[in-house]
Amino acid sequence: MCALKTTPVTAELYDYLTAHSLPADDAQRRLMERTARLGPVARMQIGPDEGAFLTLLARLMGARRAIEIGTFTGYSSLCIARGLATGGHLLCCDVDQEWGRIAREAWAQAGVADRIELRLGPALETLRALAPDPVVDLAFIDADKENYVAYYEELLPRMRPGGAVLADNVLWRGHVVDPVADPPPAEVSATRRARDADTRAIREFNAHVAADGRVEAVILSIGDGVTLIRKRD
């Protein structure tokens, strides 16, 4: 076992790293503030450090065609769109009309609405309706955990060689290393059952990617854990 080499991130250290990274602009800050007013559900929004990572990765790749699974109020998609090359296009998949309305307003305020298309409906149906040609440069998965493997399998054939898929929440607040009973005991609460089901789904996804010879991947300790997956040439 390797010695632990990851620095624990305190609130003060997190403030430091965001202060010394690509800063959020006014449109991004307004969107974060508006999303925070939604209450506890706002924690589904990625942090500014992960947003900066998405922007820089898109720029480094020269990404032109991107797909996002799970858009929420539009912060991650705004960040991806900021990094797309001239003429780039981001297809966003989500099911919530009200969150989509907030996202569209934010994209317009940020001046990136012309680069983003939002399709409301089950993401698997949207993906399966796409052409099978491998033309996508960058994809981001941040939706229901039970379908992570299915989303991945629909996306990968459509990724160009050297393209990248990112998956969020792959450490699941540390629960991926918790003991999880399957099936759960009868006395376990509904909340715990749902969490454990998501934990099992994330574990399945992580194992699936790690064993996939079509790709090379690394889990990054950004936010709640992000897997960066590159499709082999």
Side-chain angles (χ1 to χ4, degrees):
M1 180 180 294
C2 297
L4 184 63
K5 295 182 181 294
T6 301
T7 301
V9 179
T10 62
E12 292 78 13
L13 192 55
Y14 184 79
D15 288 343
Y16 179 88
L17 70 87
T18 54
H20 292 79
S21 300
L22 181 68
D25 58 27
D26 289 341
Q28 290 168 320
R29 285 192 289 270
R30 285 195 298 270
L31 179 54
M32 284 189 282
E33 291 167 0
R34 183 172 186 183
T35 303
R37 293 196 293 272
L38 296 175
V41 72
R43 69 181 183 180
M44 292 199 305
Q45 185 178 73
I46 66 169
D49 57 332
E50 190 171 344
F53 176 71
L54 291 173
T55 300
L56 287 180
L57 181 64
R59 286 179 181 160
L60 285 167
M61 295 181 66
R64 293 176 58 86
R65 300 183 69 86
I67 295 177
E68 178 181 71
I69 311 299
T71 296
F72 189 37
T73 56
Y75 185 81
S76 54
S77 44
L78 196 165
C79 294
I80 294 170
R82 281 263 193 258
L84 294 179
T86 302
H89 177 266
L90 169 62
L91 172 63
C92 293
C93 306
D94 208 296
V95 295
D96 193 286
Q97 188 170 1
E98 176 59 22
W99 293 343
R101 183 184 64 80
I102 295 173
R104 285 191 173 105
E105 291 177 1
W107 300 335
Q109 292 172 2
V112 298
D114 60 333
R115 307 176 203 174
I116 306 176
E117 175 189 358
L118 174 61
R119 295 189 190 178
L120 293 174
L124 283 175
E125 294 180 10
T126 299
L127 291 175
R128 288 166 180 163
L130 298 177
D133 303 326
V135 297
V136 180
D137 301 303
L138 179 65
F140 182 54
I141 304 172
D142 186 14
D144 54 304
K145 310 315 170 192
E146 66 181 10
N147 278 316
Y148 262 37
V149 171
Y151 295 143
Y152 172 78
E153 286 297 332
E154 289 296 330
L155 284 167
L156 195 62
R158 295 171 169 85
M159 306 301 299
R160 66 163 173 82
V165 178
L166 294 103
D168 198 26
N169 303 119
V170 295
L171 298 181
W172 204 227
R173 297 188 292 278
H175 295 311
V176 287
V177 296
D178 288 348
V180 174
D182 192 13
E187 67 272 14
V188 170
S189 68
T191 299
R192 176 62 186 271
R193 285 173 182 268
R195 192 192 76 187
D196 286 357
D198 284 338
T199 300
R200 285 190 290 270
I202 289 291
R203 286 177 175 172
E204 178 187 358
F205 174 76
N206 290 343
H208 186 79
V209 172
D212 190 349
R214 299 169 296 176
V215 302
E216 47 196 355
V218 60
I219 295 179
L220 307 172
S221 56
I222 298 173
D224 192 26
V226 178
T227 301
L228 173 58
I229 306 159
R230 178 185 178 273
K231 184 177 180 179
R232 294 184 186 273
D233 298 332

